[in-house]
Amino acid sequence: MNTVISGDGTRIAYDQVGEGPAVVLVDGAMCHRGAGPNTPLAAELARGFTVLTYDRRGRGDSGDNDAYSVAREVDDLAAVIGRTGGGARVFGHSSGAVLALEAAVAGVPIARLALFEPPPLGDDAGLADELDKLVEEGRRGAAVEAFQLAVGIPPEVVASMAGAPFRPALEALAPTLVYDARVTGTDTLSRYAAVTVPTLLIDSEASPERLRASTEAVAGTVPGARRRSLPGGFHDVEAGVLAPVLAGFFA
């Protein structure tokens, strides 16, 4: 494990594998370094790239700060990119895709930007406050379920996961769901017309229409952005399918 100190003094943990041009992977909600779709993706990309995966603040081995802001998360990503010498390629998954876009708008040095299914922006403007209240009340399980329902997981699936072995791990991450909701809760789509980085938008052919539509909306806003639809599942494409597409774009 490696660490870097972000702008507000928060310690951010990251791993580095492979050799070649630098790629930084940004997780979405309920994931962290070593637990989520970016873990197998890092192994695939490490065949031709130096790949950094990191724990977003409040997750895994990274620290946190009581005064959360999206700008501070952008600083975290900038600090990780700084360890590569600057100008890294960046891949963001879900809310991590929106965070990567915010970094690009803020002028963080990014060579190329690949984004997987950024969620619809502003759809749940009150979600962050709802989740914050549940977490403050100690109702972390309820916060997890509220988030899962908000992102479109069917109620019967949410209910079936309540007793799953991984449920305690999700509840441990419940405070960071507030952060994800803050990242995606404001309708800032027009801001991304200022992105000048070569950008690729990717979605799964099996994802809900709302996610595919939001992917298309970002692709239509970022100047010159390209879009690819890949065979996959709900909000997911297997690393073996996704990695060659990213490698071709990042090369």
Side-chain angles (χ1 to χ4, degrees), residues 38-96:
N38 281 341
T39 303
L41 181 60
E44 291 284 342
L45 290 174
R47 298 172 184 176
F49 298 89
T50 298
V51 186
L52 282 72
T53 54
Y54 75 102
D55 289 336
R56 287 173 57 186
R57 63 175 51 212
R59 312 183 191 197
D61 294 309
S62 286
D64 204 354
N65 186 303
D66 289 338
Y68 176 81
S69 72
V70 176
R72 286 186 168 176
E73 277 226 76
V74 168
D75 287 345
D76 299 344
L77 176 53
V80 175
I81 291 174
R83 282 297 175 92
T84 72
R89 296 138 179 85
V90 173
F91 170 73
H93 185 283
S94 193
S95 64

Side-chain angles (χ1 to χ4, degrees), residues 60-246:
D61 294 309
S62 286
D64 204 354
N65 186 303
D66 289 338
Y68 176 81
S69 72
V70 176
R72 286 186 168 176
E73 277 226 76
V74 168
D75 287 345
D76 299 344
L77 176 53
V80 175
I81 291 174
R83 282 297 175 92
T84 72
R89 296 138 179 85
V90 173
F91 170 73
H93 185 283
S94 193
S95 64
V98 181
L99 182 58
L101 279 165
E102 288 293 321
V105 170
V108 175
I110 296 172
R112 284 182 171 252
L113 190 61
L115 310 170
F116 182 81
E117 294 188 359
L121 298 173
D123 266 18
D124 300 294
L127 180 61
D129 290 338
E130 176 189 353
L131 296 174
D132 196 29
K133 183 174 185 293
L134 291 171
V135 170
E136 286 294 320
E137 293 172 350
R139 301 170 61 196
R140 292 193 172 196
V144 169
E145 292 175 4
F147 185 87
Q148 290 172 328
L149 291 169
V151 299
I153 298 177
E156 62 273 17
V157 177
V158 172
S160 71
M161 291 191 291
F166 53 80
R167 177 58 176 262
L170 296 184
E171 292 188 10
L173 291 170
T176 67
L177 297 178
V178 180
Y179 303 168
D180 287 293
R182 299 254 183 246
V183 169
T184 63
T186 303
D187 187 0
T188 57
L189 183 61
S190 61
R191 285 165 43 78
Y192 304 139
V195 173
T196 59
V197 178
T199 303
L200 173 66
L201 274 295
I202 302 170
D203 61 9
S204 165
E205 294 172 352
S207 281
E209 180 55 33
R210 66 189 292 268
L211 287 175
R212 303 195 72 198
S214 65
T215 302
E216 178 61 28
V218 174
T221 301
V222 175
R226 290 183 278 165
R227 181 187 175 192
R228 287 283 303 272
S229 293
L230 301 176
F234 177 95
H235 203 32
D236 181 60
V237 169
E238 289 186 5
V241 176
L242 180 58
V245 174
L246 293 180

